[in-house]
């Protein structure tokens, strides 16, 4: 795993984001600064409508800013054209959502192999890595199963393995356990934390779950367009 203190995997500098609101515009993010190191797990909490998903969309190069800069591994991205942003997002950023968003006609192994194909990885290497990652998330025996044959927790494990298949610099997770029961949610959160730390991507989790937030190295709270340190949760060693 990359050591903390390296060039940030993802960095937001004075980021502003607004949306139309009647005759004017409403501020969602107001001069947000954020830096996440390789191998760091960051939890972002905040009330519904506070802009957490907007923040992830901007960090993931899915949405452009109204002001400020987004850097990925030290590279400025705001001025990049759409094609370059898409390529950078494909190669260096992975997403995990509340719904696993698996392709219904592909097995667990094939979901991961597809990522290898998109990255032009040799077929044999892609299959070996897919099987290894599925074993890492406890699904070695389920590699040939379709999403409809899996539980919600198993589907989310596949989604995490698929995210890791792209060897991303950054993983962005938006409420990844919101639809799971508390025991499954804890298992998935611990798995995501462990795999992120072992394999090195900077990982940002947006969550309402206090347990999820408690697993993080650091926790920030988004309120009224600004990120603030959450005083009730100490930094992990």
């Amino acid at each position: 795993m990359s050591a903390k203190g390296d060039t940030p995997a993802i960095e937001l500098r004075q980021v502003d984001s607004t949306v139309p609101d009647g005759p004017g515009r409403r501020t969602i993010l107001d001069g947000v600064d954020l830096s996440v190191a390789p191998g760091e797990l960051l939890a972002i909490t905040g009330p519904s409508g506070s802009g957490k998903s907007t923040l992830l969309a901007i960090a993931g190069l899915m949405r452009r800013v109204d002001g400020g800069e987004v850097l990925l591994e030290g590279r400025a991205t705001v001025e990049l054209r759409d094609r370059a942003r898409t390529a950078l997002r494909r190669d260096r950023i992975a997403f995990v959502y509340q719904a696993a968003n698996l392709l219904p006609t592909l097995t667990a192994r094939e979901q991961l192999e597809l990522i290898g194909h998109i990255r032009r990885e040799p077929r044999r290497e892609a299959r070996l890595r897919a099987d290894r990652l599925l074993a890492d998330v406890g699904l070695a025996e389920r590699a040939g199963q379709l999403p409809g044959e899996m539980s919600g927790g198993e589907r989310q494990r596949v989604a995490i393995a698929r995210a890791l298949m792209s060897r991303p610099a950054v993983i962005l997770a938006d409420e990844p356990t919101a639809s799971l029961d508390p025991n499954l949610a804890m298992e998935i959160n611990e798995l995501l934390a462990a795999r992120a730390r072992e394999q090195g991507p900077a990982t940002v989790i947006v969550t309402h779950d206090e347990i999820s937030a408690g697993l993080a190295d650091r926790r920030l709270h988004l309120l009224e367009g600004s990120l603030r340190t959450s005083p009730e949760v100490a930094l992990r060693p």
Side-chain angles (χ1 to χ4, degrees):
M1 182 175 70
S2 299
K4 296 176 179 64
D6 292 348
T7 298
I10 186 72
E11 187 175 6
L12 277 59
R13 295 179 180 172
Q14 289 293 294
V15 163
D16 297 325
S17 181
T18 63
V19 294
D21 186 15
R25 298 188 69 84
R26 179 166 60 90
T27 297
I28 304 298
L29 302 177
D30 185 12
V32 166
D33 289 316
L34 176 64
S35 178
V36 190
E40 181 180 14
L41 179 65
L42 170 69
I44 296 178
T45 61
S48 296
S50 61
K52 300 186 301 298
S53 293
T54 297
L55 180 64
L56 278 195
I58 287 172
L61 307 184
M62 299 285 289
R63 178 171 176 163
R64 290 190 178 271
V65 300
D66 293 314
E69 180 60 272
V70 179
L71 294 93
L72 184 62
E73 298 179 293
R75 179 182 180 182
T77 66
V78 165
E79 299 299 327
L80 293 179
R81 295 189 176 184
D82 288 345
R83 180 175 294 182
R85 286 168 62 89
T86 297
L88 196 56
R89 181 171 62 245
R90 178 197 64 216
D91 293 339
R92 304 305 294 152
I93 301 172
F95 298 86
V96 179
Y97 297 105
Q98 178 177 340
N101 293 332
L102 303 179
L103 296 172
T105 59
L106 297 185
T107 66
R109 178 187 291 116
E110 289 168 343
Q111 308 280 343
L112 275 65
E113 288 180 319
L114 178 59
I115 301 300
H117 174 72
I118 291 170
R119 292 171 56 84
R120 299 181 180 178
E121 191 171 337
R123 188 170 184 175
R124 175 176 169 78
E125 181 182 336
R127 170 156 290 209
L128 289 173
R129 283 210 310 119
D131 284 344
R132 185 165 61 248
L133 284 168
L134 288 171
D136 285 347
V137 300
L139 291 178
E141 297 181 356
R142 305 287 280 166
Q145 301 298 306
L146 295 170
E149 301 169 318
M150 300 179 196
S151 68
E154 288 172 336
R155 288 193 292 271
Q156 204 63 313
R157 287 173 181 268
V158 175
I160 292 171
R162 182 179 60 183
L164 292 167
M165 184 73 182
S166 65
R167 295 190 176 103
V170 178
I171 293 177
L172 303 174
D174 194 353
E175 298 283 1
T177 60
S179 62
L180 303 178
D181 68 56
N183 290 332
L184 274 177
M186 173 60 83
E187 289 180 12
I188 295 300
N189 283 318
E190 289 178 341
L191 174 66
L192 184 57
R195 293 296 168 261
R197 292 186 179 114
E198 289 172 8
Q199 299 191 29
T203 303
V204 181
I205 301 178
V206 160
T207 183
H208 285 93
D209 183 358
E210 293 296 323
I211 295 175
S212 301
L215 294 172
D217 298 301
R218 186 162 51 106
R219 173 175 170 176
L220 297 174
H221 191 71
L222 184 61
L223 187 65
E224 297 178 351
S226 298
L227 279 175
R228 310 168 186 187
T229 301
S230 296
E232 67 274 21
V233 178
L235 298 181
R236 295 171 64 93

